């Protein structure tokens, strides 16, 4: 049976922040930029997130919270929301993955997975892409 694609398209780019890291103390800082596009057939609001962050020693950190970067964006069909955030690790490499907690305009709750991505301070950073400004600010609209 074919699997239904998630109603949100998520792309991530990661950058190691060498100028704010303290490598000699085991403090590696990363920024990541996430672009979320609503590929569903109705409006979707992101109301929460859950992250699993692993360092190279297999230690895990969990992060739960409402919205993303203090906002609960409402995305109309085809609309995009992007934000930049960050994390720090005690090792030069690690991974992040998670899920967004969402609700549709018909009050159906669902989770959308955030695919695993790599954090790597050893010269393998992905430049943060520059996307054109969106015409409307979806973070300012509220569905509930």
């Amino acid at each position: 049976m074919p699997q239904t694609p998630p109603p949100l398209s998520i792309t991530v780019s990661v950058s190691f922040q060498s100028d704010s890291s303290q490598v000699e103390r085991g403090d590696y800082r990363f920024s990541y930029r996430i672009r979320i596009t609503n590929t569903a057939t109705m409006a979707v609001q992101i109301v929460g997130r859950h992250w699993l962050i692993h360092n190279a020693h297999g230690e895990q950190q969990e992060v739960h919270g409402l919205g993303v970067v203090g906002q609960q964006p409402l995305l109309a069909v085809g609309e995009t929301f992007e934000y930049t955030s960050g994390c720090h690790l005690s090792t030069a490499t690690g991974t992040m993955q998670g899920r967004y907690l969402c609700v549709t305009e018909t009050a159906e709750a669902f989770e959308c997975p955030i695919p695993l991505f790599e954090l790597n301070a050893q010269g393998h950073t992905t430049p943060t892409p520059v996307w054109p400004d969106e015409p409307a600010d979806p973070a300012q609209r509220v569905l509930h």
Side-chain angles (χ1 to χ4, degrees):
M1 171 178 264
Q3 190 174 22
T4 305
L8 300 176
S9 170
I10 300 167
T11 57
V12 180
S13 73
V14 178
S15 181
F16 172 58
Q17 302 298 302
S18 59
D19 46 341
S20 61
S21 295
Q22 295 182 359
V23 174
E24 66 283 350
R25 293 185 178 172
D27 182 22
Y28 298 85
R29 296 183 182 255
F30 298 88
S31 67
Y32 54 90
R33 186 172 182 103
I34 297 189
R35 184 175 188 168
I36 306 163
T37 301
N38 180 2
T39 56
T41 57
M42 66 178 66
V44 171
Q45 185 167 20
I46 301 169
V47 296
R49 86 262 187 219
H50 177 215
W51 287 106
L52 297 175
I53 306 166
H54 292 93
N55 68 17
H57 299 304
E59 299 167 332
Q60 177 177 287
Q61 177 185 2
E62 280 192 71
V63 177
H64 299 267
L66 291 174
V68 292
V69 292
Q71 302 173 45
Q72 293 185 331
L74 172 60
L75 301 173
V77 175
E79 194 167 28
T80 295
F81 176 77
E82 61 185 76
Y83 68 94
T84 301
S85 191
C87 75
H88 60 92
L89 297 177
S90 60
T91 59
T93 61
T95 61
M96 286 181 69
Q97 68 184 53
R99 66 182 184 262
Y100 291 122
L101 309 171
C102 305
V103 63
T104 67
E105 63 187 20
T106 58
E108 294 178 56
F110 67 95
E111 295 181 352
C112 184
I114 306 166
L116 180 89
F117 59 92
E118 208 176 300
L119 305 165
N120 189 336
Q122 300 170 337
H124 299 287
T125 59
T126 304
T128 302
V130 176
W131 293 298
D133 292 333
E134 297 297 325
D137 185 0
Q140 302 305 313
R141 296 191 308 258
V142 178
L143 184 63
H144 60 357

